[in-house]
Amino acid sequence: MQPEQFNILLRFFKALADDSRLKIVGILANQECSVEELAVLLQLKEPTVSHHLAKLKELNLVTMRPEGNSRLYQLDSEALQSISKEIFTPEKIASLIEDVDTEAWESKVLKNYIEDDTQRLKEIPASRKKRLVILKWLANQFDVGVNYPERLVNEILKRYHPDCATLRRELIACQLMQRENGVYWRTT
């Protein structure tokens, strides 16, 4: 996501992270209102409503048109749809984590459960999520496209933990490996 789009998204969420502004957006989605009408509907003071409207106007979420001595406000549904189309796509939302180390948690789990010097498992994690990290690490000890007899699978797993039967079953259950007629292979 480009820095400009990130800032728009951040300002959008900040603007709508207020219950009064959300209510104003909801009211203005249905009808035009003046500051005075909004103040009565929301039981707020007019300067407070004006402040909230200014925040919404910064993002072009509301439009204003003069009518006599008052100004009528309405939700700009096209601006809302534009933000939705430009920024609220799964790809753009996913790109918010470009500068986040998504593997930091997995690295921490591996560090906590694997002995540095021997590369052996201290224990099999009880937590399903942590166990999956360990199982993925173990699956990487097997080459893709190679068939392994059960005896060899056991030998490889025993290098890391004595309970090879549990680890073998877990690798199959998590679909990190496949088995047929006593032959195992790593899935991709």
Side-chain angles (χ1 to χ4, degrees):
M1 183 175 286
Q2 297 173 358
E4 179 184 318
Q5 290 177 321
F6 184 84
N7 287 330
I8 291 170
L9 185 62
L10 192 58
R11 287 182 20 237
F12 178 83
F13 281 123
K14 282 182 177 180
L16 295 180
D18 180 277
D19 62 334
S20 295
R21 284 195 281 274
L22 276 176
K23 289 176 184 175
I24 289 171
V25 167
I27 292 169
L28 296 180
N30 292 320
Q31 65 190 44
E32 281 186 316
C33 286
S34 66
V35 170
E36 182 181 10
E37 290 171 310
L38 287 168
V40 170
L41 289 170
L42 297 170
Q43 299 176 353
L44 297 172
K45 296 183 179 180
E46 290 182 28
T48 303
V49 171
S50 293
H51 169 76
H52 289 312
L53 286 168
K55 292 282 187 187
L56 295 171
K57 281 177 66 176
E58 285 176 16
L59 290 169
N60 300 318
L61 291 176
V62 295
T63 58
M64 183 271 298
R65 70 175 182 85
E67 186 173 282
N69 290 337
S70 63
R71 295 181 174 123
L72 296 177
Y73 293 86
Q74 186 171 15
L75 177 69
D76 186 344
S77 58
E78 289 180 18
L80 191 60
Q81 288 175 348
S82 173
I83 289 174
S84 178
K85 285 179 184 175
E86 289 178 30
I87 298 175
F88 288 121
T89 65
E91 296 81 20
K92 293 281 174 85
I93 296 297
S95 73
L96 291 173
I97 62 165
E98 286 175 346
D99 61 346
V100 174
D101 182 4
T102 56
E103 295 177 6
W105 185 80
E106 289 182 359
S107 297
K108 181 181 178 200
V109 170
L110 290 172
K111 184 178 179 190
N112 288 339
Y113 284 91
I114 297 174
E115 295 173 356
D116 288 336
D117 53 339
T118 63
Q119 291 293 297
R120 290 184 58 82
L121 282 174
K122 296 174 187 175
E123 63 180 301
I124 299 172
S127 159
R128 189 86 183 129
K129 193 171 181 183
K130 291 177 182 177
R131 191 177 322 142
L132 184 57
V133 171
I134 296 299
L135 291 170
K136 286 179 182 177
W137 176 77
L138 282 171
N140 285 329
Q141 309 310 312
F142 296 89
D143 294 324
V144 176
V146 176
N147 291 335
Y148 295 89
E150 188 169 307
R151 174 193 51 75
L152 185 54
V153 171
N154 289 341
E155 285 178 24
I156 293 170
L157 292 176
K158 282 182 182 178
R159 293 178 198 159
Y160 304 102
H161 194 273
D163 191 355
C164 62
T166 297
L167 293 173
R168 199 179 60 239
R169 282 191 300 271
E170 290 284 336
L171 287 166
I172 298 296
C174 292
Q175 298 181 348
L176 296 168
M177 293 190 81
Q178 297 285 322
R179 170 185 62 205
E180 188 175 311
N181 298 326
V183 176
Y184 294 73
W185 63 93
R186 182 175 157 200
T187 58
T188 55

